[in-house]
Amino acid sequence: MSKHFDYYLLTCRNLDMINVMVYDFHGAFESFVGHYAPLYASSLDVTDEQKTLNVAAGIQYWLDEGADPQKINIGLGTYGRGFSLADPNNSSLYAGTYGGSEAGPYTREMGVIGYNEICELDSDWEYTWDDEQQVPHIQNGNQWLGFDDQKSIQLKIEFANSKNLGGAMVWSLDTDDFRGLCGNGPYPILNTINQYLN
Protein backbone atom coordinates (compact mmCIF):
# COMPACT_ATOMS: atom_id res chain seq x y z
CA MET A 1 0.00 0.00 0.00
CA SER A 2 1.37 3.44 -0.91
CA LYS A 3 1.90 6.22 1.63
CA HIS A 4 -0.53 8.31 -0.41
CA PHE A 5 -3.24 5.65 -0.07
CA ASP A 6 -2.52 5.23 3.66
CA TYR A 7 -2.93 8.98 4.13
CA TYR A 8 -6.43 8.93 2.64
CA LEU A 9 -7.51 5.94 4.70
CA LEU A 10 -6.13 7.51 7.90
CA THR A 11 -7.82 10.81 7.09
CA CYS A 12 -11.16 9.11 6.43
CA ARG A 13 -11.05 7.10 9.64
CA ASN A 14 -10.58 10.27 11.69
CA LEU A 15 -13.29 12.38 10.08
CA ASP A 16 -17.06 12.30 10.49
CA MET A 17 -17.60 13.79 7.05
CA ILE A 18 -15.65 15.02 4.05
CA ASN A 19 -17.13 17.96 2.13
CA VAL A 20 -15.66 17.60 -1.36
CA MET A 21 -15.82 20.98 -3.07
CA VAL A 22 -16.25 19.81 -6.64
CA TYR A 23 -16.73 23.29 -8.08
CA ASP A 24 -14.59 26.26 -9.14
CA PHE A 25 -12.80 24.08 -11.68
CA HIS A 26 -12.83 27.09 -14.01
CA GLY A 27 -13.27 30.83 -13.61
CA ALA A 28 -12.00 34.28 -14.49
CA PHE A 29 -8.60 33.29 -13.11
CA GLU A 30 -8.16 31.64 -16.54
CA SER A 31 -8.09 33.22 -19.99
CA PHE A 32 -10.65 30.90 -21.57
CA VAL A 33 -14.24 29.75 -21.12
CA GLY A 34 -14.96 26.83 -18.81
CA HIS A 35 -17.92 25.88 -16.65
CA TYR A 36 -17.21 26.21 -12.95
CA ALA A 37 -18.72 22.80 -12.06
CA PRO A 38 -19.38 20.46 -15.00
CA LEU A 39 -20.75 17.09 -13.98
CA TYR A 40 -18.77 15.26 -16.67
CA ALA A 41 -15.91 16.01 -19.03
CA SER A 42 -16.51 17.47 -22.48
CA SER A 43 -15.25 15.99 -25.73
CA LEU A 44 -13.21 19.20 -25.93
CA ASP A 45 -11.33 18.13 -22.78
CA VAL A 46 -8.39 16.35 -24.38
CA THR A 47 -5.55 16.40 -21.85
CA ASP A 48 -5.45 14.14 -18.80
CA GLU A 49 -5.76 17.19 -16.54
CA GLN A 50 -8.73 18.61 -18.44
CA LYS A 51 -10.54 15.29 -18.13
CA THR A 52 -10.31 15.45 -14.31
CA LEU A 53 -11.80 18.94 -13.93
CA ASN A 54 -15.38 17.86 -13.33
CA VAL A 55 -17.63 16.67 -10.50
CA ALA A 56 -17.66 12.98 -11.43
CA ALA A 57 -13.87 12.74 -11.66
CA GLY A 58 -13.39 14.69 -8.43
CA ILE A 59 -15.68 12.42 -6.43
CA GLN A 60 -14.33 9.27 -8.08
CA TYR A 61 -10.80 10.25 -7.08
CA TRP A 62 -11.73 10.16 -3.39
CA LEU A 63 -13.54 6.84 -3.81
CA ASP A 64 -10.61 5.31 -5.70
CA GLU A 65 -8.29 6.38 -2.87
CA GLY A 66 -10.38 4.42 -0.38
CA ALA A 67 -12.62 7.09 1.13
CA ASP A 68 -15.84 5.81 2.70
CA PRO A 69 -18.61 7.04 0.36
CA GLN A 70 -20.95 7.49 3.34
CA LYS A 71 -18.59 10.13 4.74
CA ILE A 72 -18.43 12.10 1.47
CA ASN A 73 -20.73 15.05 0.88
CA ILE A 74 -20.89 16.27 -2.71
CA GLY A 75 -20.21 20.00 -2.95
CA LEU A 76 -22.83 22.02 -4.84
CA GLY A 77 -22.96 25.68 -5.79
CA THR A 78 -25.84 28.13 -5.79
CA TYR A 79 -23.85 30.52 -7.93
CA GLY A 80 -21.88 30.59 -11.13
CA ARG A 81 -18.78 32.01 -12.73
CA GLY A 82 -18.68 34.14 -15.83
CA PHE A 83 -16.42 35.56 -18.49
CA SER A 84 -16.17 38.46 -20.89
CA LEU A 85 -15.68 36.81 -24.27
CA ALA A 86 -12.90 38.05 -26.53
CA ASP A 87 -15.21 37.28 -29.46
CA PRO A 88 -18.97 37.26 -28.77
CA ASN A 89 -19.41 34.93 -31.76
CA ASN A 90 -17.21 32.28 -30.17
CA SER A 91 -18.69 31.06 -26.90
CA SER A 92 -17.54 27.43 -26.95
CA LEU A 93 -15.50 25.87 -24.20
CA TYR A 94 -11.92 27.13 -24.24
CA ALA A 95 -12.90 30.22 -26.28
CA GLY A 96 -10.71 33.19 -25.44
CA THR A 97 -11.72 35.69 -22.76
CA TYR A 98 -10.37 38.97 -21.46
CA GLY A 99 -11.53 38.73 -17.88
CA GLY A 100 -14.48 38.00 -15.67
CA SER A 101 -18.09 38.82 -16.42
CA GLU A 102 -19.59 42.05 -15.14
CA ALA A 103 -20.21 42.14 -11.40
CA GLY A 104 -23.70 41.38 -10.10
CA PRO A 105 -25.61 43.81 -7.88
CA TYR A 106 -25.22 41.68 -4.73
CA THR A 107 -22.08 39.59 -5.11
CA ARG A 108 -20.31 42.67 -6.54
CA GLU A 109 -17.37 40.69 -7.88
CA MET A 110 -16.41 40.41 -11.52
CA GLY A 111 -16.60 36.82 -12.71
CA VAL A 112 -18.98 35.64 -9.97
CA ILE A 113 -22.78 35.63 -10.02
CA GLY A 114 -25.33 34.25 -7.58
CA TYR A 115 -28.25 32.15 -8.80
CA ASN A 116 -30.50 34.83 -7.27
CA GLU A 117 -28.83 37.39 -9.56
CA ILE A 118 -29.29 35.15 -12.60
CA CYS A 119 -33.01 34.99 -11.80
CA GLU A 120 -33.16 38.78 -12.05
CA LEU A 121 -31.58 39.00 -15.51
CA ASP A 122 -33.58 40.19 -18.51
CA SER A 123 -35.02 37.66 -20.95
CA ASP A 124 -32.56 38.63 -23.70
CA TRP A 125 -30.01 36.17 -22.31
CA GLU A 126 -29.77 32.96 -24.37
CA TYR A 127 -29.93 29.73 -22.34
CA THR A 128 -27.85 26.76 -23.51
CA TRP A 129 -27.79 23.27 -22.03
CA ASP A 130 -24.54 21.32 -22.48
CA ASP A 131 -25.51 17.68 -23.04
CA GLU A 132 -21.98 16.42 -22.44
CA GLN A 133 -21.18 18.31 -19.28
CA GLN A 134 -24.79 18.26 -18.04
CA VAL A 135 -24.81 21.94 -17.00
CA PRO A 136 -26.28 25.19 -18.34
CA HIS A 137 -24.87 28.53 -19.31
CA ILE A 138 -26.36 31.78 -20.60
CA GLN A 139 -24.95 34.39 -22.93
CA ASN A 140 -25.73 37.98 -23.79
CA GLY A 141 -23.29 39.63 -26.18
CA ASN A 142 -19.82 39.10 -24.80
CA GLN A 143 -21.09 38.04 -21.37
CA TRP A 144 -20.98 34.26 -20.68
CA LEU A 145 -22.28 32.85 -17.37
CA GLY A 146 -21.99 29.20 -16.32
CA PHE A 147 -24.02 28.15 -13.28
CA ASP A 148 -26.15 25.41 -11.74
CA ASP A 149 -29.94 25.36 -11.96
CA GLN A 150 -32.54 22.89 -10.74
CA LYS A 151 -31.93 20.52 -13.65
CA SER A 152 -28.15 20.31 -13.20
CA ILE A 153 -28.47 20.07 -9.41
CA GLN A 154 -30.92 17.17 -9.78
CA LEU A 155 -28.45 15.34 -12.02
CA LYS A 156 -25.62 15.91 -9.55
CA ILE A 157 -27.74 14.61 -6.68
CA GLU A 158 -28.68 11.55 -8.73
CA PHE A 159 -24.97 11.01 -9.38
CA ALA A 160 -24.29 11.30 -5.62
CA ASN A 161 -27.04 8.76 -4.94
CA SER A 162 -25.55 6.37 -7.51
CA LYS A 163 -22.22 6.52 -5.66
CA ASN A 164 -23.95 5.99 -2.28
CA LEU A 165 -22.56 9.26 -0.93
CA GLY A 166 -23.49 10.44 2.53
CA GLY A 167 -25.01 13.76 1.54
CA ALA A 168 -24.41 17.19 0.08
CA MET A 169 -22.94 20.52 1.13
CA VAL A 170 -23.87 23.86 -0.41
CA TRP A 171 -22.00 27.07 -1.08
CA SER A 172 -23.84 29.16 -0.27
CA LEU A 173 -27.32 29.64 1.17
CA ASP A 174 -27.49 33.37 0.46
CA THR A 175 -27.08 33.02 -3.32
CA ASP A 176 -29.99 30.63 -3.86
CA ASP A 177 -33.14 32.24 -5.28
CA PHE A 178 -34.55 32.99 -1.83
CA ARG A 179 -37.26 35.27 -3.24
CA GLY A 180 -38.50 32.75 -5.81
CA LEU A 181 -37.97 35.03 -8.80
CA CYS A 182 -37.21 32.13 -11.15
CA GLY A 183 -40.81 31.01 -10.69
CA ASN A 184 -40.27 27.82 -8.67
CA GLY A 185 -40.85 29.22 -5.21
CA PRO A 186 -38.11 30.31 -2.83
CA TYR A 187 -34.87 28.31 -2.49
CA PRO A 188 -35.27 26.16 -5.63
CA ILE A 189 -31.71 24.79 -5.45
CA LEU A 190 -32.02 23.73 -1.81
CA ASN A 191 -35.48 22.29 -2.42
CA THR A 192 -34.17 20.26 -5.37
CA ILE A 193 -31.41 18.83 -3.17
CA ASN A 194 -33.93 17.93 -0.48
CA GLN A 195 -36.28 16.38 -3.02
CA TYR A 196 -33.80 14.07 -4.72
CA LEU A 197 -31.14 13.25 -2.12
CA ASN A 198 -31.54 9.70 -0.76
Side-chain angles (χ1 to χ4, degrees):
M1 218 179 271
S2 71
K3 289 182 180 179
H4 189 251
F5 187 72
D6 287 341
Y7 170 77
Y8 271 86
L9 289 180
L10 181 62
T11 299
C12 293
R13 281 196 298 267
N14 290 292
L15 295 175
D16 294 321
M17 68 176 67
I18 304 166
N19 294 327
V20 182
M21 300 187 297
V22 278
Y23 46 77
D24 288 345
F25 290 111
H26 297 289
F29 43 85
E30 297 169 316
S31 60
F32 53 82
V33 169
H35 197 282
Y36 90 111
L39 179 52
Y40 299 110
S42 166
S43 58
L44 298 177
D45 294 321
V46 293
T47 69
D48 289 341
E49 180 183 4
Q50 289 170 343
K51 292 174 183 178
T52 65
L53 299 178
N54 60 78
V55 173
I59 294 295
Q60 193 60 51
Y61 178 83
W62 280 84
L63 296 176
D64 290 346
E65 291 295 326
D68 180 353
Q70 282 294 293
K71 290 188 176 184
I72 293 178
N73 295 326
I74 188 172
L76 303 171
T78 60
Y79 69 99
R81 290 192 175 268
F83 304 89
S84 294
L85 299 170
D87 178 0
N89 297 313
N90 182 7
S91 60
S92 66
L93 294 178
Y94 299 110
T97 63
Y98 65 85
S101 57
E102 296 171 1
Y106 313 124
T107 52
R108 298 181 182 180
E109 181 180 347
M110 291 182 66
V112 178
I113 187 156
Y115 187 61
N116 57 331
E117 294 172 313
I118 289 168
C119 291
E120 293 187 10
L121 293 174
D122 297 329
S123 60
D124 52 356
W125 288 76
E126 181 182 356
Y127 179 97
T128 301
W129 177 260
D130 187 320
D131 284 326
E132 290 186 317
Q133 295 192 313
Q134 299 288 284
V135 286
H137 71 267
I138 55 176
Q139 182 185 351
N140 185 2
N142 73 340
Q143 297 295 289
W144 189 103
L145 306 174
F147 58 99
D148 274 304
D149 61 8
Q150 287 178 275
K151 181 178 179 180
S152 64
I153 290 292
Q154 177 183 340
L155 291 169
K156 288 175 179 177
I157 289 297
E158 290 172 348
F159 170 81
N161 290 337
S162 75
K163 297 295 183 179
N164 199 32
L165 301 188
M169 61 83 66
V170 174
W171 187 269
S172 63
L173 300 180
D174 61 318
T175 51
D176 197 355
D177 179 24
F178 52 85
R179 290 191 286 182
L181 297 179
C182 274
N184 300 303
Y187 295 102
I189 301 296
L190 291 176
N191 285 330
T192 299
I193 295 168
N194 289 333
Q195 180 179 355
Y196 291 98
L197 187 63
N198 287 343

